Amino acid sequence: MTSTDKSLLGNTPVAGRIAPQSLLKIVQKIDQGSLTTKKALDLCIERISEFDHDIHAFTQVTPDKILQTLAGKGPLKGVGLAIKDVFDTADLATEYNSPIYANHQPAADAALVALARKAGCTPVGKTVTTEFAFFHPGETRNPYNLDHTPGGSSSGSAAAVATGMVPLALGTQTGGSVIRPAAFCGVAGFKPSSGLLPTVGMKTFSWSLDTAGFFAKGVEDIAFATSVLTGRHMKLEDKTPNMPVIGIARTHCWSEATEEYQQQFDSLLSSLSKFGFKLVDLPITDEYIAAFHAHQSIQDFEAKQALAWEYQTHPDKLSDLLRETLDFAQTIQPSDYDDARMIAEVGSQQMDEVFCEIDALISLSAPGSAPKGLTSTGSSIFNRTWTLFGLPCVNVPGLMSDNGLPFGIQIIGPYMQDHNCLIIAHLIEQSIQRHLDMTG
Amino acid sequence: MTSTDKSLLGNTPVAGRIAPQSLLKIVQKIDQGSLTTKKALDLCIERISEFDHDIHAFTQVTPDKILQTLAGKGPLKGVGLAIKDVFDTADLATEYNSPIYANHQPAADAALVALARKAGCTPVGKTVTTEFAFFHPGETRNPYNLDHTPGGSSSGSAAAVATGMVPLALGTQTGGSVIRPAAFCGVAGFKPSSGLLPTVGMKTFSWSLDTAGFFAKGVEDIAFATSVLTGRHMKLEDKTPNMPVIGIARTHCWSEATEEYQQQFDSLLSSLSKFGFKLVDLPITDEYIAAFHAHQSIQDFEAKQALAWEYQTHPDKLSDLLRETLDFAQTIQPSDYDDARMIAEVGSQQMDEVFCEIDALISLSAPGSAPKGLTSTGSSIFNRTWTLFGLPCVNVPGLMSDNGLPFGIQIIGPYMQDHNCLIIAHLIEQSIQRHLDMTG
């Protein structure tokens, strides 16, 4: 690692692997002329060649010579982008982690990939997804402990950012597929309001639920990328918020969280309260719980249509898990789906009313840290209702679990209030550092 | 035409070309054993080889030998299906009428195509679309008068059904791309509630607006196909409606309708009133008009993202019309889009309230009959607001214009009340025959 700028790398707590790059720092250095786009991209390639044989975040990497020709000209020039392998790419195969699509080469870039290129990003490679972004896992390992899952379905994107292989990665979330791997890999993850980022050219699993999102080192990096890629005002420094009112979302599944997770959460809340945050309990209503259950009916009913061709023509090439899910989905009636959509609408309206009284919700990003083994990517029980409601969610990194794996805090905002949601997530990110300083 | 069943063909007013096949009759005859799937499909091929050199409805036709091997086994077995060339097909090239996609071969079938195959349909070929289902026309001609447009963007699908080349065709509507060509070609067209049919594997122009739909001979044929393909109860015979209350939608663009069209519409209403329909005027509010204008902002803002790759990498291969639309779209701000979505929501809610008092709306499908020339596919001013609101719309055929071209009546129903909307459209279809008998 001679030619690159090591100052871009953060702390390296785990044998040098964990060292996310700050997108914002790269952009600033390039703007100031103290870093070239070439060196910024070289660092990505070096990190990949150093660590990916252990981590398996990438399904393929853009060849070095081509990479440098792809360096863009927009505000994100020099920013290496990892792309979850459910986004179509015109010059990289796109396989959705399914043998049905081995070596499949799309004709065009997905909309978000095209917008990222236009903004100056350079696609460094495609990252491991679970099969069709459902639950059957890929081979990516958790950078903090190779025996543990990185989470899913955006497994490779989260791990690639955590290890500093790229400063920015694209993911998707249908249940908890951005927030969970971000939490398990200790990086910031953002699932914006549904519709904020285009899903055109993403492999569909459930059109009502599939949402595009980002991974980056911290909330500031996420906010900057979102600002550039959407043309929306998302910068954090321009708005000094009052101390927000935060609803505590201890949902009906709260007992599924580990004892340690519940204790760390309570301890953080106690600090937040001392720092001046106003905290109120979110009442968990029957309508919320009904919506939680409706998520699966909607997802599976849409998946049986979205994957109708694959199920009809290549059932033998689907994982048992997915095939059995689609077998079951054949029995879901349109009336069940309609009922589920109605239940979701009622739950969503009720949550809109909740947000008249509070600025954001705080919750756990997952019930515990990354489970051991690579056979499961963990549970989305703390994510799926927010995805169903289309609400912006941020995984705020910073805390660690007793077992040395990252611990994720989730901030959820009102629909289309993504800017405020990021501002509050940033406040929480800063408060976590104060909390750690205080509690040692 | 020796081997096929000519009794499937309807009347042949224009030199034998206009003779739509009834899907329902085909299905009944096959069920009764008086028609084989082979003969049913042979008729499609014969009609295509006889007429398509004049009509240019198809971009490609499944080779005869392969066609017969594709004959399915479900309730729509023997039904030849024409597929608008914006739906991906795994064994037929899909070009979106754009040179960017010349000979493009997708890996998979679009969801709706896969569902149609499963239901027994046989894909007979791909039909001409305008470029990316926007306005730049294809080469299809109106079967009633080759010097006139068939309408667009689902040009080939409408013309293929009108001429009996197929009994069923898939189309899409973002503004008026199903209802208008159905009207211009004198067939039934159905744009269901948004979300009723999957759009996965359809080329996206505007994800909020793009809706899949069908063309068939009459409303009964449409209802049967929708019933089978959605698994929803849509059959018409099982429900005897009371005489419905119909709102007359003389929208703010009404003066754009030709004098003859306004007169024929009024004459039909006069008959409907005599037949016992309760007719009330739809008040055209400022909110409705604002929503009408919001349609374009939403469509263009989403199109600039959906077609970002094409616009960035192949601007020279876009039509002037589309490129200029996308040039302009670059200036639409996210806040304009958000405002437009809010305006659409307000208009949509107001229309929901209107539907508490009425069962359906009646309007013209287009401001006049198919314009002369192939440089424009006509106007969507009488369609786009209903598409924006996601409401089910049916073009009811039966009336003719003075110039010998078809005249379309449009029935619009409340959201997700597609069954009722089809029942009322069928009542209107029958009433049009009584009206014609009465007025001679």
Side-chain angles (χ1 to χ4, degrees):
Chain A
M1 204 191 283
T2 52
S3 67
T4 55
D5 186 335
K6 288 185 197 171
S7 71
L8 292 171
L9 298 172
N11 298 325
T12 56
V14 184
R17 264 200 305 266
I18 306 303
Q21 300 184 43
S22 164
L23 178 151
L24 207 51
K25 206 178 271 184
I26 291 170
V27 167
Q28 284 164 353
K29 288 197 168 198
I30 288 177
D31 280 354
Q32 291 159 4
S34 61
L35 177 71
T36 63
T37 59
K38 180 174 184 323
K39 284 199 175 178
L41 295 172
D42 280 345
L43 178 58
C44 296
I45 294 303
E46 283 175 26
R47 298 286 298 181
I48 290 169
S49 62
E50 203 167 346
F51 298 123
D52 205 40
H53 53 89
D54 282 344
I55 305 294
H56 302 293
F58 284 88
T59 61
Q60 57 185 319
V61 175
T62 307
D64 200 9
K65 278 186 187 171
I66 294 174
L67 190 74
Q68 294 294 351
T69 68
L70 295 177
K73 285 183 179 154
L76 296 179
K77 60 179 176 288
V79 172
L81 178 73
I83 301 166
K84 182 181 182 180
D85 201 26
V86 294
F87 287 91
D88 284 352
T89 41
D91 49 13
L92 291 167
T94 304
E95 300 183 328
Y96 320 127
N97 199 1
S98 166
I100 301 171
Y101 289 92
N103 304 312
H104 167 56
Q105 180 54 63
D109 280 340
L112 188 54
V113 173
L115 296 174
R117 280 191 205 263
K118 189 181 170 198
C121 287
T122 299
V124 167
K126 302 296 286 282
T127 54
V128 172
T129 174
T130 60
E131 178 196 28
F132 297 119
F134 192 54
F135 280 109
H136 184 71
E139 58 177 2
T140 308
R141 290 163 180 271
N142 192 308
Y144 280 83
N145 185 332
L146 298 181
D147 294 335
H148 288 244
T149 177
S153 63
S154 310
S155 316
S157 284
V161 168
T163 50
M165 300 190 210
V166 286
L168 182 66
L170 302 185
T172 66
Q173 175 157 320
T174 303
S177 288
V178 167
I179 298 303
R180 184 164 85 261
F184 288 177
C185 293
V187 297
F190 182 38
K191 184 211 79 66
S193 294
S194 57
L196 194 82
L197 297 174
T199 59
V200 178
M202 260 167 57
K203 181 68 178 164
T204 304
F205 194 85
S206 163
W207 56 86
S208 298
L209 301 170
D210 296 347
T211 318
F214 301 124
F215 298 89
K217 181 182 183 189
V219 176
E220 281 186 305
D221 305 297
I222 291 280
F224 186 81
T226 308
S227 195
V228 170
L229 289 170
T230 63
R232 291 171 185 271
H233 186 70
M234 295 280 171
K235 290 176 191 165
L236 304 180
E237 65 271 25
D238 299 343
K239 203 167 171 181
T240 313
N242 296 324
M243 267 318 202
V245 183
I246 310 262
I248 306 166
R250 287 193 188 91
T251 62
H252 64 297
C253 304
W254 203 246
S255 63
E256 306 270 327
T258 65
E259 204 173 319
E260 185 220 337
Y261 261 50
Q262 295 190 37
Q263 283 170 0
Q264 277 226 43
F265 186 73
D266 291 343
S267 168
L268 176 65
L269 292 185
S270 166
S271 293
L272 292 179
S273 186
K274 284 179 196 141
F275 301 157
F277 287 84
K278 289 175 208 149
L279 301 175
V280 297
D281 280 315
L282 172 74
I284 301 302
T285 63
D286 291 346
E287 288 77 9
Y288 173 88
I289 297 170
F292 175 89
H293 293 294
H295 177 280
Q296 188 168 353
S297 303
I298 292 171
Q299 174 186 271
D300 292 356
F301 185 83
E302 293 183 355
K304 85 168 167 181
Q305 295 177 71
L307 297 177
W309 180 81
E310 290 82 356
Y311 182 73
Q312 288 164 211
T313 59
H314 296 293
D316 52 314
K317 291 185 178 170
L318 300 174
S319 69
D320 291 346
L321 184 63
L322 178 55
R323 195 178 51 253
E324 284 160 17
T325 299
L326 295 175
D327 285 344
F328 173 75
Q330 308 303 314
T331 68
I332 304 173
Q333 297 304 307
S335 57
D336 301 332
Y337 174 68
D338 293 345
D339 290 348
R341 292 215 301 172
M342 190 69 78
I343 289 166
E345 183 59 29
V346 169
S348 178
Q349 283 173 7
Q350 197 178 65
M351 201 54 66
D352 287 348
E353 287 165 28
V354 167
F355 278 116
C356 295
E357 310 292 326
I358 62 171
D359 296 300
L361 290 167
I362 190 167
S363 190
L364 292 168
S365 293
S369 52
K372 191 164 182 179
L374 301 181
T375 55
S376 158
T377 62
S379 163
S380 64
I381 52 171
F382 287 169
N383 316 111
R384 59 183 78 150
T385 322
W386 318 123
T387 312
L388 177 65
F389 296 160
L391 305 179
C393 302
V394 183
N395 177 68
V396 182
L399 294 174
M400 295 296 286
S401 184
D402 292 346
N403 59 5
L405 291 168
F407 179 114
I409 289 291
Q410 183 176 205
I411 299 298
I412 303 119
Y415 180 62
M416 287 304 281
Q417 301 293 316
D418 296 69
H419 187 198
N420 264 324
C421 182
L422 287 165
I423 288 171
I424 292 171
H426 188 226
L427 271 182
I428 298 292
E429 192 179 37
Q430 293 167 323
S431 303
I432 284 174
Q433 290 313 313
R434 285 179 68 192
H435 164 70
L436 288 173
D437 292 343
M438 215 165 66
T439 58
Chain B
M1 201 191 288
T2 52
S3 66
T4 56
D5 186 336
K6 288 184 195 172
S7 71
L8 293 172
L9 299 172
N11 299 324
T12 57
V14 183
R17 264 200 305 267
I18 307 303
Q21 301 183 42
S22 164
L23 177 152
L24 208 51
K25 206 179 270 182
I26 291 169
V27 167
Q28 284 164 354
K29 286 195 169 197
I30 288 177
D31 281 352
Q32 292 158 5
S34 62
L35 178 69
T36 63
T37 58
K38 180 176 186 320
K39 283 199 177 180
L41 295 172
D42 280 346
L43 178 59
C44 295
I45 295 302
E46 284 177 26
R47 299 285 298 181
I48 290 169
S49 62
E50 202 166 347
F51 299 123
D52 205 41
H53 54 87
D54 281 344
I55 305 294
H56 302 294
F58 284 88
T59 60
Q60 56 186 319
V61 175
T62 307
D64 200 8
K65 279 186 186 170
I66 294 174
L67 190 74
Q68 294 294 352
T69 68
L70 295 177
K73 285 182 179 157
L76 296 179
K77 61 178 176 288
V79 172
L81 178 74
I83 300 165
K84 183 180 182 180
D85 201 26
V86 293
F87 287 91
D88 283 353
T89 41
D91 48 13
L92 290 167
T94 303
E95 300 182 328
Y96 320 127
N97 199 1
S98 165
I100 300 170
Y101 290 92
N103 303 313
H104 167 56
Q105 179 55 63
D109 281 340
L112 188 54
V113 172
L115 296 174
R117 281 191 205 263
K118 188 182 172 197
C121 287
T122 299
V124 167
K126 301 297 286 280
T127 54
V128 172
T129 174
T130 60
E131 179 197 27
F132 297 119
F134 192 54
F135 281 109
H136 184 70
E139 58 176 1
T140 308
R141 290 161 181 272
N142 192 306
Y144 281 84
N145 186 330
L146 298 181
D147 294 335
H148 289 243
T149 177
S153 62
S154 310
S155 315
S157 285
V161 168
T163 51
M165 300 190 209
V166 285
L168 183 67
L170 303 185
T172 66
Q173 176 157 319
T174 303
S177 288
V178 167
I179 299 302
R180 183 164 87 260
F184 288 176
C185 292
V187 297
F190 182 38
K191 183 210 79 65
S193 294
S194 56
L196 195 82
L197 298 174
T199 58
V200 178
M202 261 166 57
K203 182 69 178 162
T204 305
F205 194 84
S206 163
W207 56 85
S208 298
L209 301 170
D210 296 348
T211 319
F214 301 124
F215 299 89
K217 182 183 182 188
V219 177
E220 280 185 306
D221 305 297
I222 291 280
F224 185 82
T226 308
S227 196
V228 170
L229 289 170
T230 63
R232 290 171 185 272
H233 186 71
M234 294 280 171
K235 290 177 190 166
L236 304 180
E237 66 270 25
D238 299 341
K239 201 164 171 181
T240 313
N242 296 323
M243 266 319 200
V245 183
I246 310 261
I248 306 166
R250 288 192 188 91
T251 62
H252 65 296
C253 305
W254 203 246
S255 64
E256 305 271 326
T258 65
E259 204 174 319
E260 186 220 337
Y261 260 50
Q262 295 192 37
Q263 283 169 1
Q264 276 224 43
F265 185 74
D266 290 343
S267 170
L268 175 65
L269 292 184
S270 167
S271 293
L272 292 179
S273 186
K274 284 180 196 141
F275 302 157
F277 287 84
K278 289 175 209 148
L279 301 174
V280 296
D281 281 315
L282 172 74
I284 302 301
T285 62
D286 291 346
E287 288 78 9
Y288 173 89
I289 296 170
F292 175 88
H293 293 294
H295 177 281
Q296 189 167 354
S297 303
I298 292 171
Q299 174 186 271
D300 293 355
F301 185 83
E302 293 183 355
K304 85 168 166 181
Q305 295 177 72
L307 297 176
W309 181 80
E310 290 83 355
Y311 182 72
Q312 287 165 212
T313 59
H314 296 292
D316 52 313
K317 290 185 178 171
L318 300 174
S319 68
D320 291 346
L321 184 62
L322 179 55
R323 195 178 50 254
E324 284 159 17
T325 298
L326 294 176
D327 286 343
F328 173 76
Q330 308 303 314
T331 68
I332 304 174
Q333 296 304 307
S335 57
D336 301 332
Y337 173 67
D338 294 343
D339 290 348
R341 293 214 301 173
M342 189 68 79
I343 288 166
E345 183 58 28
V346 169
S348 178
Q349 284 174 6
Q350 196 178 67
M351 201 54 66
D352 287 347
E353 287 166 27
V354 167
F355 277 117
C356 295
E357 310 291 326
I358 62 171
D359 297 299
L361 291 167
I362 190 167
S363 190
L364 292 167
S365 294
S369 51
K372 191 165 182 179
L374 301 181
T375 55
S376 159
T377 62
S379 164
S380 64
I381 52 171
F382 287 170
N383 316 111
R384 58 183 81 150
T385 323
W386 318 124
T387 312
L388 177 65
F389 296 160
L391 305 178
C393 302
V394 183
N395 177 68
V396 183
L399 294 173
M400 295 296 287
S401 183
D402 291 347
N403 59 5
L405 291 168
F407 179 114
I409 289 292
Q410 183 177 206
I411 299 297
I412 303 118
Y415 180 61
M416 287 304 281
Q417 301 292 316
D418 296 68
H419 187 197
N420 264 326
C421 182
L422 287 165
I423 288 172
I424 292 171
H426 187 226
L427 270 183
I428 298 292
E429 192 179 38
Q430 293 167 322
S431 302
I432 284 173
Q433 290 313 313
R434 285 178 69 192
H435 164 72
L436 288 172
D437 292 344
M438 215 165 67
T439 57

